[in-house]
Amino acid sequence: MTQSQRPHRLAVTGGIGSGKSHICRMLADQGLPIFYCDDEAKRLIRHDAEIRRRLTALIGPDVYDQDGRLVKPVLAAWICGSKAQAAQVDAIVHPRVAEVFNAWVAAHSESAVVVMECALLYESGFDRLVDEVVAVAVPEDLRLQRVIDRDGVTPEKARAWMALQMPETEKLRRADYVVRNDADAHLQADLALLYKKLSLTQQA
């Protein structure tokens, strides 16, 4: 598939609690194929033999049980141990996710636009895999409350999760489009503009 033939690659990113999946479901309703990076990473960690081998070598034999099933608390404890340890896991998993995404795009060559949902788009370097980026914008206090309500965690825990991600201001600065997901009026207006831009892209 040549550069001119491949689908236009759009990424949707945003901080925890921003509603990225909700936006992607709305894009799917418009007929756009969606690739969920987090879901694919989880699948690969559970089932990819080479990733299993490398994670076992890195973390130890307890990361998978005797039946080869992932022991999530062991992996989570390692990732939360330090940013350096989390980066070691990312270095094993992210290249395979990128490979699967590129193969998925090739399999959707008939689509004018395809979408990648990726929370850590810039942190992972996956922005290099797409043509344009949509950042989902939500005020921090609203994101905080959404995470608390959704995951049943304390405000302190939710803030700690949010602090692990790139600041929202930086994501918004680097994005090509911003979709405000704080009120229905904002959301509908921003999506209408995005659909118009995507329609122009499809005709190009």
Side-chain angles (χ1 to χ4, degrees):
M1 184 168 56
T2 67
Q3 183 80 5
S4 62
Q5 292 174 325
R6 71 182 178 89
H8 188 77
R9 304 179 182 199
L10 185 74
V12 174
T13 192
I16 184 172
S18 62
K20 298 178 300 299
S21 295
H22 176 62
I23 300 304
C24 284
R25 285 192 293 270
M26 299 181 79
L27 293 175
D29 288 342
Q30 297 295 314
L32 303 185
I34 313 292
F35 182 91
Y36 293 93
C37 282
D38 189 51
D39 290 348
E40 186 58 34
K42 291 175 182 176
R43 186 190 70 81
L44 288 168
I45 288 171
R46 287 184 172 91
H47 302 297
D48 186 274
E50 177 62 14
I51 287 179
R52 180 183 302 174
R53 183 191 68 78
R54 294 181 64 186
L55 287 179
T56 300
L58 173 67
I59 300 172
D62 293 338
V63 71
Y64 293 92
D65 67 17
Q66 292 182 342
D67 296 320
R69 292 173 298 196
L70 176 69
V71 182
K72 291 174 62 177
V74 174
L75 178 62
W78 176 272
I79 291 172
C80 294
S82 69
K83 288 187 176 181
Q85 289 180 188
Q88 288 176 308
V89 173
D90 290 344
I92 293 172
V93 178
H94 286 171
R96 283 289 291 121
V97 175
E99 289 176 11
V100 174
F101 172 71
N102 285 329
W104 177 86
V105 172
H108 289 82
S109 59
E110 76 287 352
S111 299
V113 180
V114 296
V115 179
M116 169 201 285
E117 188 214 45
C118 187
L120 302 178
L121 182 75
Y122 297 112
E123 296 92 329
S124 64
F126 281 9
D127 56 310
R128 74 184 187 279
L129 302 177
V130 300
D131 300 303
E132 292 184 301
V133 175
V134 175
V136 183
V138 176
E140 183 173 331
D141 58 343
L142 181 54
R143 289 200 297 125
L144 178 67
Q145 191 58 53
R146 286 178 178 176
V147 174
I148 293 169
D149 294 341
R150 182 189 68 191
D151 297 320
V153 297
T154 64
E156 292 73 23
K157 184 68 172 179
R159 289 191 184 94
W161 288 348
M162 292 167 68
L164 293 173
Q165 298 185 336
M166 177 183 287
E168 288 298 281
T169 53
E170 180 64 11
K171 290 181 181 179
L172 298 180
R173 184 187 70 80
R174 297 174 66 172
D176 299 287
Y177 308 105
V178 173
V179 171
R180 296 166 293 172
N181 191 25
D182 58 338
D184 188 62
H186 291 161
L187 176 59
Q188 296 304 323
D190 291 345
L191 283 176
L193 179 60
L194 178 62
Y195 295 154
K196 181 178 180 181
K197 295 289 188 180
L198 291 177
S199 178
L200 292 174
T201 299
Q202 293 178 52
Q203 294 172 14

